[in-house]
Amino acid sequence: MWKNRAVMLTLLMSNVVLLTLLVAPYVLSEGSEGEVAIGKAAPRDATVNLPELRGGEILAAQQWPDACSFVNQEEIRAILPGAKDIEQESRPISALSIKDFAADSSWKESDRAKSGQCLYSMRLPGETYAATQFWFRIEAVADPGLIVGYEHRLASGSSTNQGAKGADHCVITGNFEGSWNCRKGPLLFTVGGQSSVTFQGESAPAPFVWRDDVLPEFVRTIAAKIT
């Protein structure tokens, strides 16, 4: 009887060892997929047409370009080579300032941009669904001189030693999951997003890497479209 139990125990242990050997490579491969590489901006050779604005001119929100025309899927993959299942969604925004609302609260067609913001969702290595998001929002289109003053009032944030990355000026708004608010010529814009993946060669938490290393590449991509 004891002999039979010993044989059964030996067989059970052998099966456990075999199962461990079979599962181990899979676990390691899953872990390696969680190390996401960060690429470099590769803006396509294209510009977004904006009118020449002078003398304090402001472009009405209804005439703004489509926010989704500033970044395409190839440009996202240049920055995040492992990105899959990329989707984009245009979102309307209101461009009416609080001061303007106080002066006249009536709604006007010119106060609304049908695609003033673009939201991109994607799945990075290690994610089981499209959990990573990047968004780009147009804040204003106006005479570049007016944009400078408007940015100073609107964009309260910290200057960054990373530079403007092709834009005329940028600040980081927020400390943890921060976004970048930048201006380039007649365009004032903000980029942000989030991801929970682990990035290659980075010891900082994902939100800080996203803010400090990923978003600047998107700023460079967008700024390259404005001449």
Side-chain angles (χ1 to χ4, degrees):
M1 180 177 180
W2 288 106
K3 183 177 180 181
N4 291 338
R5 286 184 177 179
V7 171
M8 292 178 62
L9 183 59
T10 300
L11 291 173
L12 179 60
M13 292 296 293
S14 299
N15 289 336
V16 170
V17 172
L18 179 60
L19 181 61
T20 301
L21 292 173
L22 291 173
V23 172
Y26 175 77
V27 173
L28 290 174
S29 65
E30 284 294 293
S32 63
E33 286 185 355
E35 297 291 325
V36 178
I38 301 175
K40 294 295 182 182
R44 66 187 187 276
D45 186 18
T47 59
V48 176
N49 292 324
L50 293 174
E52 184 176 349
L53 302 168
R54 293 288 184 268
E57 290 181 308
I58 300 173
L59 187 66
Q62 65 177 357
Q63 298 176 334
W64 287 358
D66 184 344
C68 290
S69 67
F70 282 82
V71 181
N72 65 16
Q73 292 192 11
E74 288 74 18
E75 291 167 324
I76 290 177
R77 291 193 181 94
I79 299 169
L80 298 167
K84 297 180 179 179
D85 304 333
I86 302 173
E87 295 184 358
Q88 66 185 46
E89 177 187 352
S90 296
R91 293 188 172 183
I93 62 172
S94 174
L96 185 65
S97 69
I98 295 176
K99 181 179 179 180
D100 292 337
F101 179 80
D104 182 4
S105 61
S106 61
W107 183 85
K108 308 179 190 65
E109 181 67 27
S110 61
D111 297 331
R112 185 177 176 84
K114 293 182 179 179
S115 178
Q117 178 168 318
C118 193
L119 175 65
Y120 300 83
S121 61
M122 66 202 78
R123 179 171 60 87
L124 295 182
E127 293 181 330
T128 56
Y129 64 98
T132 294
Q133 292 185 332
F134 160 71
W135 54 264
F136 162 64
R137 182 174 66 239
I138 299 173
E139 304 290 354
V141 183
D143 170 9
L146 188 59
I147 286 292
V148 173
Y150 190 54
E151 179 210 27
H152 183 70
R153 288 289 187 91
L154 177 69
S156 58
S158 303
S159 295
T160 168
N161 58 9
Q162 294 155 292
K165 303 298 182 183
D168 296 330
H169 184 257
C170 289
V171 296
I172 294 178
T173 61
N175 294 321
F176 188 60
E177 294 183 357
S179 56
W180 282 60
N181 185 279
C182 304
R183 59 177 167 83
K184 174 69 180 291
L187 178 69
L188 182 65
F189 64 93
T190 305
V191 294
Q194 61 185 12
S195 182
S196 60
V197 300
T198 301
F199 290 95
Q200 285 183 3
E202 300 288 349
S203 58
F208 291 105
V209 178
W210 186 267
R211 181 195 67 189
D212 297 338
D213 298 292
V214 177
L215 288 182
E217 299 302 323
F218 281 110
V219 171
R220 182 180 286 113
T221 299
I222 294 163
K225 311 297 174 60
I226 308 301
T227 57

